[in-house]
Amino acid sequence: MDLDIMAMPTTPKATTSSPAAYYVAKPPPPPPLGYAVHNKAAAAAYDSYDGRHGGMVATTTTTRSSSSAARHHHHHHHHQQPAGARALDGVLLLLRAAASVMAFVAVALVASCRHGDWMEFARYPEYRGLLGASALACAYSAAQATRGFRRMRASGRAGGGLADFAGDQVVAYLLITASAAALPITLRMRSAVLNVFTDAMTAAISLAFIAFAALALSAVLSAAAQPY
């Protein structure tokens, strides 16, 4: 009996194939375009199924962020000017505004000297020249100050190129020439008589000298501000 049992053929047991035995986890779908990845570690784990470290989306997003940051930095640096340059522009603006005011007062003083007889400024070519030079300096300085102020509000710099440098020099030269021509005759008049005419002319010449100094200094600072 025992021999018969031992001699009986043994049939292998049928193995039941379970779906769980052959289940392979599917990789997650890729993120949509434009998906901002903020965690690089998570991005690497998320896209590791395609064999690329970090994934294409993370790389693209990082590149876009870097380009945007670079553009923002360039734009910020373009508008942020050095403190020294802004201070120099402010000084130039003040000098031209002061020259405009001084020249305007000089024009008003000379034009008011119309008291008849010898106290008429139109009788003297020196005073006519002083009036013309002061009027030109007033108009030029006012225009330069206005333009510089608008530039500072728009771009942070008052600007100023070689044209401004040359203009300051020319107008300053005209002022000093007219003032120097009117000074001797005024001194001769004051040695003989002191009145409202000679006092007004003396004040006008003094203000023209001050306007010349302001424009001359403005020309020097404009030359210093030029990029070489």
Side-chain angles (χ1 to χ4, degrees), residues 3 21 186:
L3 293 175
T186 304

Side-chain angles (χ1 to χ4, degrees), residues 101-110 112-113 127 130 134 179 182-183 186-187 190 195-211:
V101 172
M102 297 301 164
F104 175 78
V105 178
V107 169
L109 289 174
V110 175
S112 65
C113 292
Y127 295 149
L130 179 62
S134 299
S179 301
L183 183 60
T186 304
L187 293 178
R190 287 183 64 85
N195 57 15
V196 65
F197 180 81
T198 56
D199 290 340
M201 287 302 175
T202 302
I205 293 171
S206 301
L207 291 173
F209 271 116
I210 296 175

Side-chain angles (χ1 to χ4, degrees), residues 69-87:
R71 287 195 301 268
H72 177 72
H73 176 73
H74 176 73
H75 181 74
H76 182 72
H77 179 73
H78 176 72
H79 285 284
Q80 287 292 334
Q81 301 294 337
R86 292 197 302 270

Side-chain angles (χ1 to χ4, degrees), residues 10 16 90 113 115 120-121 123 172:
T10 60
T16 60
C113 292
H115 307 292
E120 187 79 22
F121 82 91
R123 295 183 58 178

Side-chain angles (χ1 to χ4, degrees), residues 26-227:
K26 293 182 178 181
L33 293 177
Y35 177 77
V37 179
H38 300 285
N39 191 342
K40 293 184 179 180
Y46 190 87
D47 291 334
S48 60
Y49 69 91
D50 59 358
R52 294 172 297 175
H53 182 71
M56 182 62 68
V57 176
T59 305
T60 305
T61 306
T62 305
T63 304
R64 291 178 179 176
S65 300
S66 301
S67 300
S68 177
R71 287 195 301 268
H72 177 72
H73 176 73
H74 176 73
H75 181 74
H76 182 72
H77 179 73
H78 176 72
H79 285 284
Q80 287 292 334
Q81 301 294 337
R86 292 197 302 270
L88 181 60
D89 290 336
V91 172
L92 287 172
L93 183 62
L94 290 177
L95 286 174
R96 287 166 179 163
S100 176
V101 172
M102 297 301 164
F104 175 78
V105 178
V107 169
L109 289 174
V110 175
S112 65
C113 292
R114 305 188 65 178
H115 307 292
D117 198 12
W118 65 273
M119 293 186 298
E120 187 79 22
F121 82 91
R123 295 183 58 178
Y124 307 94
E126 296 86 355
Y127 295 149
R128 292 199 303 268
L130 179 62
L131 178 65
S134 299
L136 177 62
C138 177
Y140 169 80
S141 301
Q144 288 290 82
T146 303
R147 188 177 66 168
F149 178 73
R150 289 178 178 175
R151 285 180 177 178
M152 287 187 68
R153 293 192 61 183
S155 61
R157 289 298 306 272
L162 293 177
D164 295 340
F165 168 68
D168 291 345
Q169 281 191 320
V170 170
V171 176
Y173 175 77
L174 290 176
L175 271 177
I176 192 61
T177 303
S179 301
L183 183 60
I185 188 175
T186 304
L187 293 178
R188 288 197 300 268
M189 289 181 181
R190 287 183 64 85
S191 64
V193 60
L194 296 176
N195 57 15
V196 65
F197 180 81
T198 56
D199 290 340
M201 287 302 175
T202 302
I205 293 171
S206 301
L207 291 173
F209 271 116
I210 296 175
F212 154 76
L215 286 176
L217 183 57
S218 175
V220 173
L221 295 179
S222 296
Q226 294 303 315

